[in-house]
Amino acid sequence: RMARHLADPDVGAVTAFIREASQPPNWMSRYIGYEYATAQLAARRAQNVVGAQACLAGGAQLLSRENLEALGGRVDTETLAEDTVTTLLTQLRGRIVIFDPNAQCYAEEPASITGLWKQRLRWSRGNLQVSRRFRSIFFRPSRIHHLGNVWFGLQWYSTLLLPAFMILTSAVLVALWFVSRHDAMLLFRLLWGVTAL
């Protein structure tokens, strides 16, 4: 299902939906499966619409030979987010990156909080490295690619800064709890409502 997109010479790479398939399943793998089914599908479909993909999923990516040769014949490993670097470089060279939600790849994910923490810490460090390396493309429209699109930049940085926002929000809620429990509960419900929306 991914290969059919490469019939278009303008397409440089395709990524698929990663379906969590750890055996035996536990509460952690179910959480990750839910996260992938909601956040990954929604974000990557939206990125298809805008024409700017943030990341070829590491375990579910297919690059055309021409694209890989244009990138130097190998995948860049200077960061912890080589899949994101490949995605951005592909688009900077004027090729299209597509997410196909009908193509699926099964993946084994961390089975513990410690494993999930290590995975997400690696992803965060890699995305910080990518943000530093490609800082000149965000919020700068181009005729070659759509990575400078305002929507894409907002999505990139809101995802990148999400852990800081979560820590700050938690600290504010705890401090507010000691000042006014009623206001803290109201703010907590409002926060959950906005998150659900």
Side-chain angles (χ1 to χ4, degrees):
R1 290 184 178 169
M2 293 167 69
R4 63 192 168 125
H5 297 286
L6 298 182
D8 181 347
D10 291 335
V11 174
V14 183
T15 190
F17 171 56
I18 294 184
R19 184 175 294 278
E20 203 291 322
S22 300
Q23 291 297 325
N26 65 11
W27 64 273
M28 180 63 72
S29 62
R30 286 187 181 101
Y31 162 77
I32 294 170
Y34 172 77
E35 176 193 17
Y36 281 3
T38 54
Q40 185 188 130
L41 280 173
R44 292 206 171 125
R45 283 182 175 176
Q47 291 168 4
N48 266 353
V49 171
V50 175
Q53 283 291 331
C55 182
L56 289 162
Q61 59 179 300
L62 181 65
L63 290 87
S64 70
R65 180 183 182 123
E66 294 80 15
N67 182 42
L68 192 55
E69 287 173 350
L71 298 177
R74 64 180 184 84
V75 173
D76 186 300
T77 57
E78 292 180 14
T79 70
L80 294 171
E82 71 287 340
D83 48 1
T84 305
V85 170
T86 301
T87 307
L88 298 181
L89 287 176
T90 295
Q91 294 169 98
L92 286 171
R93 286 172 172 71
R95 294 187 187 264
I96 299 168
V97 175
I98 294 175
F99 168 64
D100 186 341
N102 298 309
Q104 296 182 11
C105 176
Y106 295 103
E108 185 177 6
E109 297 296 338
S112 68
I113 291 178
T114 304
L116 184 67
W117 173 260
K118 288 179 181 178
Q119 178 194 56
R120 301 305 164 96
L121 188 60
R122 181 176 52 83
W123 288 0
S124 297
R125 286 180 178 164
N127 286 334
L128 285 170
Q129 292 168 335
V130 168
S131 296
R132 196 173 319 120
R133 179 173 172 179
F134 293 97
R135 65 185 170 272
S136 63
I137 67 168
F138 295 107
F139 304 108
R140 290 178 176 87
S142 168
R143 293 181 181 191
I144 298 170
H145 58 80
H146 297 286
L147 297 173
N149 181 303
V150 171
W151 181 90
F152 182 76
L154 288 173
Q155 193 228 1
W156 178 268
Y157 281 104
S158 65
T159 303
L160 183 71
L161 297 173
L162 185 60
F165 291 148
M166 290 171 63
I167 291 168
L168 179 64
T169 303
S170 298
V172 167
L173 283 171
V174 168
L176 189 57
W177 178 262
F178 290 109
V179 175
S180 169
R181 290 185 181 192
H182 174 72
D183 290 342
M185 286 304 295
L186 184 65
L187 183 60
F188 181 74
R189 288 186 182 120
L190 178 67
L191 180 64
W192 270 102
V194 168
T195 303
L197 204 89

